[in-house]
Amino acid sequence: MKRKMSTKYLLLLFVLSISLLAACSAADNAANANEPEEDQASEATETKDSSNQESEDTIKVGVLHSLSGTMAISETSVKDAELLAIKEINENGGVLGKQIEPVIEDGASDWPTFAEKAKKLLQQDEVATIFGGWTSASRKAMLPVVEENNGLLWYPVQYEGMEASPNIVYTGAAPNQQIVPAVDWLLENRGKKFFLLGSDYVFPRTANAAIKAQLEAKGGELVGEEYTPLGHTDYNTLISKIKSVEPQVIFNTLNGDSNVAFFKQLQDAGITSEDVTVLSVSVAEQEIKGIGADVIEGHLTSWNYYQSTDTPENKEFVANYKAEYGEDRVTADPMEAGYFGVYLWAKAVEAAGTTDVDAVKEAIKGLEYDAPGGPVKVDGDNQHVYKTVRIGEVGSDGQISELWNSGEPVKPDPYLETYDWASELSEALSQ
Amino acid sequence: MTDLMVTLFNGLSLGSILLLIALGLAITFGLMNVINMAHGELIMIGAYVTFVMQNIFINYIPEQYFDLYFILSIPIAMVVAAAFGMLMEVSLIRYLYKRPLDSLLATWGVSLLLQQLARTIFGAPNVGVKSPSFLEGGVEVGSMYFAYPRLFILGLALVCLAGIYLYFYKTGNGRRVRAVMQNRQMAECLGVSTRKVDLITFAIGSGFAGVAGCALTLLGAIGPTIGTNYIIDAFMVVVVGGVGALFGAVAGAFGIGFFNTVFEFWTNASLGKVFIFLLIIAFLQWRPSGLVTTRSRSLD
């Protein structure tokens, strides 16, 4: 009897560790859904390969995103946007008179897999460049690989900054193109009492360290700072805490499913956007569909692009994206950054006259392009891009309408060097 | 005083959610001793049933009846999840009753399969479910505010509990189930069809996972991986409550819910989780078999 019980206890520990593994690594789902795509890709590779031997009329590029696991939710649509750009370029004659041939790999939401696949793409497939990544962890995993093999990676997502690898082009926002202006705008328009809420990992903690320094310098007041584990589902207690300190602004750096739970339960608690403004930096059109527009209506976001952004390039992008993938699909900031990244690369290759990485790196300095979200320009010093900052409000249809924009593209400053209040911070964080 | 009352209510509310997600598992794992890793995916099925029902109502039923979709979803989610449970039992679990570790791995495989199935049918992104209008808002008592969805889930958990109690302790079928769980050979000798009892019991356990999934659409995300968010909590409740004891699960759920809320209120969400796990480990050192011990066939 006693012995049976201890086996049972061991068994339970096993169950817990397995389920933790299942929750965390999520490499498990590498199964069926993406197989057809990979098949297609490899078929494409095969057919193209045969022609390749004769005339070398294609240029291979890597597309490396998580097509399975927890991050598949976000990354598959970025992959779709990048493939759309490749298709469009090919229809217009390709680059250097050659067709671009995407080699699609699955990072499976698993950071070592990203490094492995990046290595495979560079060494085995000898791709000219890689478009890929979403989480900072996946970027940090690929960074040494692309640097060692002198590859070129286009990373399409906003991130915490404090990095500038010569082999990575960052087409998403640096902190000074998303977070810093958002805090300034909130202080001016919505109130001084801030509550910082984030998921418990590197991006929210780094971002909040910067926000705290900024608040102190600009006369804001910090009334609370809370972190919840990734995948946290019960926000009742936290909302009670928020209620008791009565902030005017909640700066939300939660990531993933937690956003859904937080916004639903905030509404349940009777707190609307009129009582307190929640500004999110990880919630875009795609995520709003999962949260429910009625739940998050009236709250704010800060990005460089919205589906509603009014440029001729964007009308075309949205129309083409919907035509390719379905009317019910939405476009969002990281997708736009992935999309124009492909165009920037193609333009740089044309300018350099070759796909050689060193020549292309030289050619991208100062390169300009009219992206769907407005004109962008690559900063030669840190491989980030100048982008327009846009603060928007979620409407009842799930679309985000712009309340404010920076008017002109903002120079990227990944180390926040131009801000006095951040001087100590960047030293501490970049170590 | 208000703080204390709010914390108490939050704890009660969290406890009721935990109870709801663990009730089904208290039957399949607690009574039948099947380590069902796919329990979370049965919850997911319940959530997607609610989503499908909502879409059916939006597209085919006049708008004034829209709110009814949620009420209807609860029994339908239960039936659909129970059907999946039956399918699992017939095709897989029945061969593994004597081999708990194998059933652990096999049901984990099933959970991955179901997740991928959901991803193929509904797509990888989360889907949205609009709460029915009668569950919007809440009631204010003094300076405290009780949200209707929370009260509803509390009520639903109690109704489910009452249903399970009546079935297992007041009906002939329930008596047969308990007999089989306590002494299989003896029950067989007395003419109880143990195959049938196993099948029905597993289906009931799965059905309650479906109900939980339906209720969880009020609170959180609905996506292919929601099961993984809840499976650990569910196992935790059953183990603390005592494997084999239905009512241990009740005490376990409210105990964990209350302490978790208190810890989180004092510290923060991450540390709160750490403390609750520490507490559970310490508790299991003291009472390895959980709060309530009963004999079942698994323990003999």
Side-chain angles (χ1 to χ4, degrees):
Chain A
M1 178 74 192
K2 194 114 203 215
R3 162 162 286 179
K4 275 272 166 67
M5 279 326 297
S6 63
T7 349
K8 179 154 280 191
Y9 190 40
L10 271 178
L11 209 83
L12 182 92
L13 276 179
F14 184 58
V15 173
L16 285 182
S17 49
I18 288 277
S19 44
L20 272 175
L21 267 179
C24 303
S25 84
D28 40 272
N29 316 328
N32 325 342
N34 51 314
E35 256 175 28
E37 275 157 23
E38 277 182 5
D39 282 353
Q40 275 169 19
S42 59
E43 264 169 38
T45 320
E46 274 163 28
T47 47
K48 293 270 169 73
D49 262 356
S50 49
S51 58
N52 214 1
Q53 285 159 354
E54 291 152 27
S55 58
E56 285 210 2
D57 57 355
T58 67
I59 298 172
K60 279 190 195 171
V61 300
V63 176
L64 175 49
H65 287 287
S66 299
L67 309 178
S68 57
T70 45
M71 291 312 298
I73 289 178
S74 312
E75 289 190 59
T76 32
S77 53
V78 178
K79 177 213 71 177
D80 289 344
E82 287 163 357
L83 291 183
L84 176 68
I86 291 172
K87 190 181 157 213
E88 286 172 8
I89 293 171
N90 281 341
E91 278 169 2
N92 289 319
V95 279
L96 302 175
K98 296 178 186 174
Q99 294 283 296
I100 308 172
E101 178 194 331
V103 182
I104 302 164
E105 287 291 346
D106 179 9
S109 311
D110 179 52
W111 326 137
T113 307
F114 269 96
E116 221 171 86
K117 298 279 180 167
K119 197 179 241 171
K120 182 233 162 206
L121 284 170
L122 290 170
Q123 294 181 349
Q124 204 176 313
D125 298 318
E126 295 180 348
V127 296
T129 187
I130 298 175
F131 304 97
W134 177 292
T135 60
S136 290
S138 69
R139 187 192 66 253
K140 296 243 187 243
M142 290 187 282
L143 188 142
V145 178
V146 288
E147 285 189 351
E148 269 166 37
N149 295 285
N150 195 25
L152 187 61
L153 170 70
W154 298 76
Y155 175 73
V157 184
Q158 47 84 226
Y159 80 115
E160 68 277 7
M162 309 294 158
E163 191 183 296
S165 161
N167 294 78
I168 301 180
V169 187
Y170 305 81
T171 56
N176 78 309
Q177 295 169 312
Q178 183 187 28
I179 294 171
V180 175
V183 172
D184 279 340
W185 187 89
L186 288 167
L187 281 171
E188 208 169 290
N189 295 289
R190 294 293 163 107
K192 306 263 183 213
K193 283 174 82 178
F194 272 59
F195 191 99
L196 306 182
L197 170 65
S199 294
D200 208 351
Y201 74 107
V202 56
F203 165 67
R205 282 188 181 266
T206 314
N208 285 347
I211 293 171
K212 278 190 282 186
Q214 191 182 357
L215 285 178
E216 205 170 307
K218 300 273 172 75
E221 185 193 347
L222 180 73
V223 294
E225 180 182 5
E226 290 279 343
Y227 299 93
T228 60
L230 275 169
H232 193 63
T233 51
D234 195 273
Y235 282 89
N236 228 355
T237 309
L238 208 139
I239 289 167
S240 304
K241 283 188 192 177
I242 290 175
K243 266 187 173 172
S244 64
V245 295
E246 293 181 342
Q248 290 163 315
V249 173
I250 300 172
F251 202 95
N252 168 22
T253 42
L254 289 176
N255 225 310
D257 290 356
S258 294
N259 273 311
V260 188
F262 172 67
F263 279 108
K264 277 190 180 175
Q265 294 169 27
L266 190 70
Q267 193 197 36
D268 286 344
I271 301 174
T272 65
S273 56
E274 279 163 25
D275 305 317
V276 57
T277 299
V278 182
L279 185 134
S280 314
V281 291
S282 302
V283 174
E285 286 87 345
Q286 175 108 21
E287 287 75 21
I288 290 172
K289 271 178 90 177
I291 297 171
D294 57 315
V295 175
I296 192 178
E297 189 183 348
H299 290 298
L300 307 184
T301 61
S302 176
W303 291 103
N304 307 114
Y305 164 88
Y306 298 115
Q307 185 173 330
S308 64
T309 298
D310 191 17
T311 64
E313 291 81 12
N314 187 37
K315 286 201 178 73
E316 202 186 320
F317 171 54
V318 173
N320 290 350
Y321 189 85
K322 289 194 171 208
E324 185 79 13
Y325 300 109
E327 255 326 288
D328 59 333
R329 297 282 293 262
V330 291
T331 58
D333 183 285
M335 294 154 69
E336 185 247 7
Y339 177 83
F340 79 69
V342 178
Y343 273 98
L344 274 179
W345 170 78
K347 217 175 158 187
V349 171
E350 288 287 355
T354 165
T355 58
D356 178 67
V357 169
D358 290 322
V360 172
K361 266 161 62 182
E362 208 45 51
I364 55 175
K365 288 183 179 167
L367 196 66
E368 293 181 37
Y369 177 72
D370 283 324
V376 293
K377 182 174 127 192
V378 180
D379 188 324
D381 297 331
N382 53 28
Q383 292 79 242
H384 288 61
V385 297
Y386 286 68
K387 311 182 85 173
T388 308
V389 186
R390 301 171 192 279
I391 290 170
E393 183 179 302
V394 181
S396 55
D397 55 352
Q399 285 294 320
I400 303 169
S401 54
E402 192 175 296
L403 293 180
W404 174 88
N405 70 53
S406 56
E408 54 174 14
V410 174
K411 183 179 161 59
D413 181 7
Y415 293 98
L416 298 173
E417 279 159 344
T418 52
Y419 301 90
D420 290 339
W421 48 263
S423 56
E424 285 171 29
L425 196 77
S426 43
E427 276 166 36
L429 291 174
S430 53
Q431 272 166 9
Chain B
M1 183 60 198
T2 317
D3 269 3
L4 182 75
M5 288 298 290
V6 168
T7 308
L8 261 177
F9 177 73
N10 286 348
L12 200 65
S13 169
L14 181 60
S16 67
I17 295 165
L18 290 173
L19 179 61
L20 205 54
I21 59 176
L23 263 182
L25 200 70
I27 297 172
T28 52
F29 176 51
L31 286 180
M32 303 178 71
N33 206 32
V34 175
I35 300 177
N36 183 12
M37 296 299 292
H39 185 74
E41 276 58 45
L42 293 166
I43 293 176
M44 172 197 80
I45 287 170
Y48 272 116
V49 165
T50 317
F51 171 68
V52 170
M53 284 295 289
Q54 171 199 255
N55 287 355
I56 290 175
F57 267 70
I58 286 176
N59 291 330
Y60 301 108
I61 313 274
E63 213 180 315
Q64 68 261 37
Y65 300 118
F66 176 73
D67 287 344
L68 284 178
Y69 91 87
F70 192 74
I71 302 294
L72 265 174
S73 295
I74 296 173
I76 293 177
M78 185 169 188
V79 170
V80 174
F84 269 90
M86 272 190 180
L87 194 70
M88 268 172 73
E89 209 273 351
V90 171
S91 58
L92 190 71
I93 303 220
R94 62 189 286 190
Y95 304 108
L96 300 170
Y97 277 126
K98 298 245 162 61
R99 292 148 63 191
L101 276 178
D102 299 5
S103 76
L104 165 83
L105 292 176
T107 52
W108 190 38
V110 171
S111 85
L112 299 184
L113 210 91
L114 290 175
Q115 278 180 28
Q116 203 59 49
L117 186 72
R119 207 169 274 136
T120 312
I121 298 175
F122 298 100
N126 288 336
V127 296
V129 167
K130 194 178 169 347
S131 302
S133 57
F134 60 86
L135 288 180
E136 278 168 15
V139 47
E140 221 155 331
V141 181
S143 57
M144 286 176 300
Y145 183 88
F146 303 112
Y148 286 139
R150 297 279 170 166
L151 294 172
F152 178 79
I153 287 177
L154 186 63
L156 185 65
L158 295 178
V159 168
C160 288
L161 189 67
I164 289 178
Y165 173 79
L166 288 177
Y167 180 78
F168 280 102
Y169 291 91
K170 298 288 170 197
T171 68
N173 277 337
R175 199 175 308 118
R176 275 189 282 280
V177 172
R178 284 184 297 133
V180 172
M181 299 315 151
Q182 275 169 20
N183 194 325
R184 175 166 290 257
Q185 280 85 12
M186 187 62 83
E188 267 172 4
C189 291
L190 293 172
V192 177
S193 166
T194 51
R195 271 296 311 127
K196 214 167 118 193
V197 165
D198 284 340
L199 181 64
I200 290 173
T201 316
F202 195 82
I204 291 175
S206 307
F208 278 102
V211 174
C214 188
L216 288 175
T217 61
L218 295 173
L219 298 177
I222 304 139
T225 52
I226 65 162
T228 52
N229 293 342
Y230 295 102
I231 183 88
I232 296 176
D233 288 339
F235 269 103
M236 211 158 72
V237 166
V238 177
V239 169
V240 168
V243 175
L246 217 45
F247 289 90
V250 180
F254 286 108
I256 291 174
F258 177 71
F259 280 110
N260 200 346
T261 308
V262 171
F263 288 147
E264 194 183 323
F265 192 76
W266 280 343
T267 59
N268 59 53
S270 304
L271 265 181
K273 268 260 162 3
V274 172
F275 282 134
I276 198 77
F277 272 108
L278 281 177
L279 189 75
I280 288 173
I281 291 169
F283 174 79
L284 287 176
Q285 290 296 325
W286 173 53
R287 297 198 67 158
S289 48
L291 273 172
V292 182
T293 20
T294 33
R295 287 167 57 80
S296 77
R297 81 166 199 254
S298 58
L299 303 177
D300 293 326

